[in-house]
Short mmCIF file of all heavy atoms in Angstrom, two decimals:
data_model
loop_
_atom_site.label_atom_id
_atom_site.label_comp_id
_atom_site.label_asym_id
_atom_site.label_seq_id
_atom_site.Cartn_x
_atom_site.Cartn_y
_atom_site.Cartn_z
N LEU A 13 -16.55 14.73 18.23
CA LEU A 13 -17.95 14.34 18.30
C LEU A 13 -18.32 14.13 19.74
O LEU A 13 -18.37 13.08 20.26
CB LEU A 13 -18.25 13.02 17.51
CG LEU A 13 -17.84 13.07 16.02
CD1 LEU A 13 -18.02 11.72 15.37
CD2 LEU A 13 -18.60 14.13 15.26
N ALA A 14 -18.47 15.28 20.42
CA ALA A 14 -18.80 15.21 21.84
C ALA A 14 -19.89 14.16 22.20
O ALA A 14 -20.88 14.07 21.43
CB ALA A 14 -19.24 16.58 22.33
N PRO A 15 -19.64 13.32 23.18
CA PRO A 15 -18.56 13.42 24.17
C PRO A 15 -17.27 12.63 23.79
O PRO A 15 -16.52 12.28 24.69
CB PRO A 15 -19.25 12.87 25.41
CG PRO A 15 -20.21 11.87 24.88
CD PRO A 15 -20.71 12.39 23.58
N PHE A 16 -17.18 12.28 22.49
CA PHE A 16 -16.10 11.37 22.10
C PHE A 16 -15.24 12.09 21.02
O PHE A 16 -15.66 13.02 20.38
CB PHE A 16 -16.59 10.04 21.54
CG PHE A 16 -17.53 9.42 22.47
CD1 PHE A 16 -18.88 9.25 22.11
CD2 PHE A 16 -17.15 8.80 23.72
CE1 PHE A 16 -19.83 8.66 22.93
CE2 PHE A 16 -18.05 8.30 24.53
CZ PHE A 16 -19.43 8.14 24.16
N ARG A 17 -13.98 11.56 20.87
CA ARG A 17 -13.07 12.09 19.91
C ARG A 17 -12.51 10.88 19.12
O ARG A 17 -11.99 9.91 19.74
CB ARG A 17 -11.89 12.85 20.58
CG ARG A 17 -12.42 13.83 21.58
CD ARG A 17 -11.25 14.35 22.45
NE ARG A 17 -10.69 15.57 21.86
CZ ARG A 17 -9.48 16.06 22.09
NH1 ARG A 17 -8.69 15.35 22.91
NH2 ARG A 17 -9.06 17.14 21.55
N PHE A 18 -12.62 11.01 17.83
CA PHE A 18 -12.12 9.93 16.93
C PHE A 18 -11.03 10.48 16.01
O PHE A 18 -10.99 11.59 15.54
CB PHE A 18 -13.27 9.49 16.02
CG PHE A 18 -14.35 8.67 16.66
CD1 PHE A 18 -15.41 9.29 17.28
CD2 PHE A 18 -14.36 7.28 16.55
CE1 PHE A 18 -16.42 8.53 17.91
CE2 PHE A 18 -15.36 6.59 17.16
CZ PHE A 18 -16.43 7.17 17.84
N LEU A 19 -10.02 9.55 15.84
CA LEU A 19 -9.00 9.74 14.81
C LEU A 19 -9.25 8.72 13.68
O LEU A 19 -9.25 7.51 13.98
CB LEU A 19 -7.64 9.63 15.42
CG LEU A 19 -6.47 10.31 14.62
CD1 LEU A 19 -6.75 11.82 14.65
CD2 LEU A 19 -5.13 10.05 15.34
N VAL A 20 -9.53 9.23 12.49
CA VAL A 20 -9.92 8.39 11.36
C VAL A 20 -8.87 8.34 10.30
O VAL A 20 -8.44 9.45 9.85
CB VAL A 20 -11.30 8.82 10.83
CG1 VAL A 20 -11.73 7.86 9.68
CG2 VAL A 20 -12.33 8.92 11.87
N GLU A 21 -8.48 7.14 9.89
CA GLU A 21 -7.51 7.00 8.82
C GLU A 21 -8.14 6.24 7.68
O GLU A 21 -8.74 5.21 7.90
CB GLU A 21 -6.21 6.33 9.39
CG GLU A 21 -5.07 6.26 8.39
CD GLU A 21 -3.83 5.56 8.97
OE1 GLU A 21 -3.79 4.34 9.03
OE2 GLU A 21 -2.95 6.36 9.51
N SER A 22 -7.82 6.66 6.45
CA SER A 22 -8.31 5.97 5.28
C SER A 22 -7.42 6.26 4.10
O SER A 22 -6.88 7.32 3.96
CB SER A 22 -9.73 6.32 4.96
OG SER A 22 -10.24 5.54 3.88
N ASP A 23 -7.26 5.18 3.20
CA ASP A 23 -6.65 5.42 1.92
C ASP A 23 -7.62 5.32 0.74
O ASP A 23 -7.23 5.12 -0.37
CB ASP A 23 -5.52 4.37 1.79
CG ASP A 23 -6.05 2.90 1.80
OD1 ASP A 23 -7.22 2.74 2.00
OD2 ASP A 23 -5.27 1.99 1.57
N ILE A 24 -8.91 5.47 1.08
CA ILE A 24 -9.98 5.46 0.08
C ILE A 24 -10.53 6.88 -0.05
O ILE A 24 -11.14 7.41 0.88
CB ILE A 24 -11.08 4.46 0.50
CG1 ILE A 24 -10.52 3.09 0.75
CG2 ILE A 24 -12.17 4.47 -0.55
CD1 ILE A 24 -11.52 2.06 1.32
N PRO A 25 -10.28 7.53 -1.16
CA PRO A 25 -10.61 8.98 -1.30
C PRO A 25 -12.03 9.34 -0.98
O PRO A 25 -12.26 10.33 -0.25
CB PRO A 25 -10.26 9.27 -2.80
CG PRO A 25 -9.19 8.30 -3.11
CD PRO A 25 -9.54 7.03 -2.40
N PHE A 26 -13.01 8.55 -1.42
CA PHE A 26 -14.41 8.99 -1.18
C PHE A 26 -14.77 8.89 0.31
O PHE A 26 -15.69 9.52 0.75
CB PHE A 26 -15.38 8.28 -2.06
CG PHE A 26 -15.65 6.80 -1.67
CD1 PHE A 26 -16.65 6.54 -0.71
CD2 PHE A 26 -15.01 5.78 -2.28
CE1 PHE A 26 -16.97 5.21 -0.37
CE2 PHE A 26 -15.31 4.44 -1.86
CZ PHE A 26 -16.25 4.21 -0.92
N VAL A 27 -14.01 8.13 1.08
CA VAL A 27 -14.28 8.04 2.47
C VAL A 27 -14.05 9.42 3.20
O VAL A 27 -14.84 9.93 3.85
CB VAL A 27 -13.45 6.91 3.18
CG1 VAL A 27 -13.57 6.99 4.72
CG2 VAL A 27 -13.99 5.52 2.70
N TYR A 28 -12.75 9.92 3.01
CA TYR A 28 -12.52 11.15 3.65
C TYR A 28 -13.24 12.32 3.01
O TYR A 28 -13.51 13.35 3.68
CB TYR A 28 -10.97 11.46 3.80
CG TYR A 28 -10.14 11.38 2.57
CD1 TYR A 28 -10.21 12.32 1.58
CD2 TYR A 28 -9.28 10.25 2.44
CE1 TYR A 28 -9.35 12.22 0.44
CE2 TYR A 28 -8.45 10.11 1.29
CZ TYR A 28 -8.49 11.12 0.32
OH TYR A 28 -7.70 11.03 -0.79
N GLU A 29 -13.60 12.20 1.72
CA GLU A 29 -14.42 13.24 1.07
C GLU A 29 -15.80 13.31 1.73
O GLU A 29 -16.36 14.37 1.96
CB GLU A 29 -14.50 12.99 -0.45
CG GLU A 29 -13.20 13.25 -1.17
CD GLU A 29 -13.23 12.68 -2.52
OE1 GLU A 29 -14.28 12.10 -3.00
OE2 GLU A 29 -12.21 12.77 -3.25
N ASN A 30 -16.37 12.12 1.97
CA ASN A 30 -17.63 12.07 2.67
C ASN A 30 -17.56 12.61 4.07
O ASN A 30 -18.49 13.38 4.52
CB ASN A 30 -18.18 10.61 2.76
CG ASN A 30 -18.90 10.20 1.51
OD1 ASN A 30 -19.60 11.00 0.88
ND2 ASN A 30 -18.74 8.93 1.10
N ILE A 31 -16.48 12.28 4.81
CA ILE A 31 -16.28 12.82 6.13
C ILE A 31 -16.31 14.36 6.16
O ILE A 31 -16.99 14.98 6.92
CB ILE A 31 -14.98 12.27 6.76
CG1 ILE A 31 -15.06 10.79 6.97
CG2 ILE A 31 -14.71 13.00 8.07
CD1 ILE A 31 -13.77 10.11 7.39
N ARG A 32 -15.54 14.98 5.25
CA ARG A 32 -15.41 16.39 5.23
C ARG A 32 -16.79 17.05 4.90
O ARG A 32 -17.13 18.04 5.42
CB ARG A 32 -14.34 16.82 4.22
CG ARG A 32 -12.91 16.65 4.85
CD ARG A 32 -11.94 17.51 4.09
NE ARG A 32 -10.57 17.41 4.64
CZ ARG A 32 -10.16 18.04 5.70
NH1 ARG A 32 -11.00 18.83 6.32
NH2 ARG A 32 -8.94 17.90 6.16
N ARG A 33 -17.47 16.40 4.01
CA ARG A 33 -18.74 16.95 3.47
C ARG A 33 -19.84 16.85 4.56
O ARG A 33 -20.59 17.79 4.82
CB ARG A 33 -19.19 16.28 2.21
CG ARG A 33 -20.46 16.83 1.61
CD ARG A 33 -20.64 16.43 0.16
NE ARG A 33 -20.85 14.97 0.04
CZ ARG A 33 -20.02 14.16 -0.52
NH1 ARG A 33 -18.85 14.58 -1.01
NH2 ARG A 33 -20.30 12.89 -0.66
N LEU A 34 -19.90 15.70 5.26
CA LEU A 34 -21.06 15.47 6.16
C LEU A 34 -20.78 16.00 7.58
O LEU A 34 -21.70 16.41 8.31
CB LEU A 34 -21.35 14.01 6.24
CG LEU A 34 -22.41 13.45 5.29
CD1 LEU A 34 -21.85 13.54 3.83
CD2 LEU A 34 -22.77 12.01 5.55
N TYR A 35 -19.51 16.02 8.06
CA TYR A 35 -19.16 16.43 9.44
C TYR A 35 -18.82 17.87 9.60
O TYR A 35 -18.79 18.37 10.67
CB TYR A 35 -18.10 15.49 9.98
CG TYR A 35 -18.61 14.17 10.41
CD1 TYR A 35 -18.65 13.05 9.57
CD2 TYR A 35 -19.19 14.02 11.65
CE1 TYR A 35 -19.14 11.82 9.91
CE2 TYR A 35 -19.70 12.72 12.05
CZ TYR A 35 -19.62 11.65 11.18
OH TYR A 35 -20.09 10.43 11.61
N GLY A 36 -18.50 18.55 8.44
CA GLY A 36 -18.30 20.00 8.51
C GLY A 36 -17.36 20.47 9.52
O GLY A 36 -16.15 20.02 9.57
N SER A 37 -17.76 21.33 10.44
CA SER A 37 -16.90 21.92 11.42
C SER A 37 -16.43 20.96 12.51
O SER A 37 -15.55 21.26 13.26
CB SER A 37 -17.66 23.11 12.10
OG SER A 37 -18.82 22.68 12.81
N ALA A 38 -16.99 19.78 12.54
CA ALA A 38 -16.50 18.73 13.54
C ALA A 38 -15.20 18.11 13.05
O ALA A 38 -14.50 17.39 13.83
CB ALA A 38 -17.56 17.69 13.69
N VAL A 39 -14.78 18.40 11.81
CA VAL A 39 -13.52 17.80 11.25
C VAL A 39 -12.35 18.70 11.50
O VAL A 39 -12.46 19.91 11.34
CB VAL A 39 -13.70 17.54 9.77
CG1 VAL A 39 -12.46 16.91 9.16
CG2 VAL A 39 -14.94 16.70 9.45
N SER A 40 -11.23 18.16 11.85
CA SER A 40 -9.94 18.85 11.89
C SER A 40 -8.85 17.93 11.40
O SER A 40 -9.10 16.70 11.21
CB SER A 40 -9.69 19.41 13.29
OG SER A 40 -9.46 18.33 14.24
N ASP A 41 -7.69 18.50 11.29
CA ASP A 41 -6.55 17.72 10.75
C ASP A 41 -5.64 17.25 11.87
O ASP A 41 -4.69 16.56 11.63
CB ASP A 41 -5.76 18.55 9.74
CG ASP A 41 -6.55 18.78 8.47
OD1 ASP A 41 -7.12 17.81 7.96
OD2 ASP A 41 -6.60 19.93 8.02
N CYS A 42 -5.90 17.68 13.09
CA CYS A 42 -5.06 17.31 14.22
C CYS A 42 -5.91 17.13 15.46
O CYS A 42 -6.76 17.92 15.77
CB CYS A 42 -4.02 18.42 14.43
SG CYS A 42 -2.87 18.05 15.76
N LEU A 43 -5.58 16.09 16.19
CA LEU A 43 -6.40 15.82 17.43
C LEU A 43 -5.42 15.11 18.36
O LEU A 43 -4.90 14.03 18.10
CB LEU A 43 -7.58 14.96 17.13
CG LEU A 43 -8.43 14.47 18.35
CD1 LEU A 43 -9.01 15.67 19.08
CD2 LEU A 43 -9.51 13.50 17.89
N ASP A 44 -5.26 15.63 19.58
CA ASP A 44 -4.52 15.00 20.61
C ASP A 44 -5.36 14.08 21.47
O ASP A 44 -6.50 14.38 21.75
CB ASP A 44 -3.82 16.05 21.53
CG ASP A 44 -2.80 16.82 20.85
OD1 ASP A 44 -2.15 16.24 19.85
OD2 ASP A 44 -2.68 17.96 21.16
#
Side-chain angles (χ1 to χ4, degrees):
L13 303 176
F16 309 111
R17 311 169 91 200
F18 286 84
L19 203 61
V20 183
E21 186 177 83
S22 182
D23 60 357
I24 303 173
F26 76 84
V27 170
Y28 52 75
E29 289 166 3
N30 277 323
I31 293 173
R32 286 201 174 277
R33 184 163 66 248
L34 270 65
Y35 281 93
S37 60
V39 181
S40 66
D41 293 311
C42 181
L43 176 65
D44 293 328

